[in-house]
Amino acid sequence: MQTELSKTLGVEHAVFGFTPFPAVAAAISRAGGFGVLGAVRYTAPDDLKRDLDWIEEHVDGKPYGLDVVMPAKKVENVSEADVEAMIPDGHRQFVRDTLAKYGVPELAEGEASGWRITGWMEQVARTQLDVAFDYPIRLLANALGSPPADVIDRAHDQDVLVAALAGSARHALKHRDAGIDVVVAQGYEAGGHTGEIATMVLTPEIVDAVAPLPVLAAGGIGSGRQVAAALSLGAQGVWLGSIWLTATEADLSSPAVTRKLLAAGSGDTVRSRALTGKPARQLRTEWTDAWDDPNGPGTLPMPLQGLLVAEAVTRIQKYEVDPLLGTPVGQIVGRMTSERSVQAVFDDLTRGFEQAVDRINRIAGRSAK
């Protein structure tokens, strides 16, 4: 599964694996893919440094990258406290009432929320980059559009490719014009923040729009057949995220979340603003239903919603309140029926890819090599 892009980066398979777990990122690279560590949860530079040190020790010299969530436009002199003050009291009360309805216990006195989406903030994202550029990362991906121009220039000065996610050809063209090296075409089926165009339609649209820029297909991909389909559509690789959530190397905070993922079907997800304020595909739960209920207060824009629900999500996860417990995940969750190692996932991907290519060769009247 090699393409021009995978050869440029020195990886065996054109499979780019996004994950918040260092052990999974390292395992993806060791298996011949390209591991990409999600940085949004790292609010302390020392924590990111610790995990990048760990990856360096366990990646066997293979290449890897980092994914940040950084706004293209800088907002001056805005602190987290300033943003917190914008949250309406009515929304805070709705959170309290919903948690009380399901009997969610309080955190212990002095215990801080373990989940805060603050990596979107200019100062936090830049401290992540200050750490990351001290390591031999080969790719910097941004999940919130193109990063600022000075960040792109800094990456290029250090021979680091820059990627950005796009949900439409229009977005992809903006990335190209900003100097992005790789566009990730993220379809409707994907987990986390995603747009409204399906991967099968989106990928060739973006490939044609930004050619000859390399494109990675993302959204609903979790088998070798789908990798073959993505390459057939003109992509130079695939960007996989959800499939790693049930990898044995993953460190999900709750065994109950793993259980729910393994039991879920492809129809058990929903695009909801409940988590961050932007549409993000996740397991459908009574928590997402509460926020999507027209009789409720409605969600707040990003980043207010993420800050509003941070402590609530921590409490739901800590006490494993099953009706409310969920996680971002794509529609590929229906294929995630057992816990497997990252290497086992790769074995399945490569085997399925070979079978798909052989089948197409037979259909085309060519004998398989």
Side-chain angles (χ1 to χ4, degrees), residues 106-129:
E106 298 276 355
L107 295 176
E109 186 175 351
E111 184 177 0
S113 166
W115 184 93
R116 293 184 75 78
I117 295 293
T118 55
W120 53 267
M121 297 182 71
E122 178 79 13
Q123 61 269 33
V124 176
R126 286 189 178 273
T127 60
Q128 293 169 350
L129 295 177

Side-chain angles (χ1 to χ4, degrees), residues 38-286:
V40 70
R41 65 191 180 98
Y42 292 98
T43 56
D46 287 346
D47 291 342
L48 179 58
K49 183 179 186 303
R50 176 201 64 215
D51 284 354
L52 288 176
D53 283 339
W54 190 94
I55 289 177
E56 275 291 298
E57 294 172 1
H58 294 84
V59 80
D60 292 350
K62 302 295 181 63
Y64 62 93
L66 192 76
D67 177 278
V68 297
V69 180
M70 192 175 193
K73 296 181 180 179
K74 184 175 182 179
V75 180
E76 299 282 359
N77 302 318
V78 177
S79 68
E80 186 175 334
D82 294 332
V83 178
E84 288 266 15
M86 301 177 189
I87 298 174
D89 291 338
H91 283 74
R92 295 189 186 277
Q93 187 61 50
F94 181 76
V95 170
R96 289 192 289 268
D97 290 345
T98 304
L99 295 178
K101 176 181 177 181
Y102 291 92
V104 182
E106 298 276 355
L107 295 176
E109 186 175 351
E111 184 177 0
S113 166
W115 184 93
R116 293 184 75 78
I117 295 293
T118 55
W120 53 267
M121 297 182 71
E122 178 79 13
Q123 61 269 33
V124 176
R126 286 189 178 273
T127 60
Q128 293 169 350
L129 295 177
D130 288 339
V131 171
F133 283 132
D134 285 336
Y135 292 81
I137 61 171
R138 295 295 312 281
L139 178 78
L140 174 67
N142 191 41
L144 202 62
S146 302
D150 69 295
V151 172
I152 297 174
D153 291 341
R154 184 179 178 187
H156 288 166
D157 287 343
Q158 298 193 208
D159 198 28
V160 175
L161 296 181
V162 181
L165 277 65
S168 70
R170 177 173 56 86
H171 292 155
L173 287 169
K174 289 182 178 180
H175 296 336
R176 181 201 63 185
D177 295 344
I180 293 298
D181 304 293
V182 181
V183 176
V184 181
Q186 185 170 15
Y188 172 82
E189 304 94 324
H193 296 133
T194 185
E196 298 182 347
I197 304 174
T199 304
M200 181 66 77
V201 175
L202 181 67
T203 301
E205 283 188 355
I206 289 183
V207 167
D208 291 345
V210 302
L213 218 59
V215 173
L216 300 176
I221 301 172
S223 71
R225 285 177 291 172
Q226 291 168 311
V227 175
L231 299 188
S232 297
L233 294 173
Q236 286 203 30
V238 293
W239 178 274
L240 309 185
S242 296
I243 197 72
W244 315 112
L245 289 174
T246 52
T248 53
E249 295 92 343
D251 186 24
L252 282 175
S253 58
S254 165
V257 171
T258 300
R259 173 180 53 77
K260 293 187 79 169
L261 287 170
L262 296 176
S266 56
D268 292 329
T269 68
V270 63
R271 284 175 74 248
S272 171
R273 299 177 185 267
L275 192 62
T276 68
K278 285 184 176 290
R281 186 170 297 285
Q282 55 203 283
L283 285 179
R284 181 175 182 176
T285 66
E286 294 186 32

Side-chain angles (χ1 to χ4, degrees), residues 264-332:
S266 56
D268 292 329
T269 68
V270 63
R271 284 175 74 248
S272 171
R273 299 177 185 267
L275 192 62
T276 68
K278 285 184 176 290
R281 186 170 297 285
Q282 55 203 283
L283 285 179
R284 181 175 182 176
T285 66
E286 294 186 32
W287 177 255
T288 61
D289 286 349
W291 283 105
D292 294 340
D293 189 334
N295 294 320
T299 55
L300 297 171
M302 188 181 193
L304 301 182
Q305 183 71 15
L307 293 173
L308 169 65
V309 305
E311 181 182 319
V313 171
T314 297
R315 289 164 60 185
I316 291 167
Q317 291 178 345
K318 176 178 179 178
Y319 299 110
E320 296 190 332
V321 183
D322 198 81
L324 306 179
L325 189 63
T327 187
V329 69
Q331 292 180 329
I332 197 63

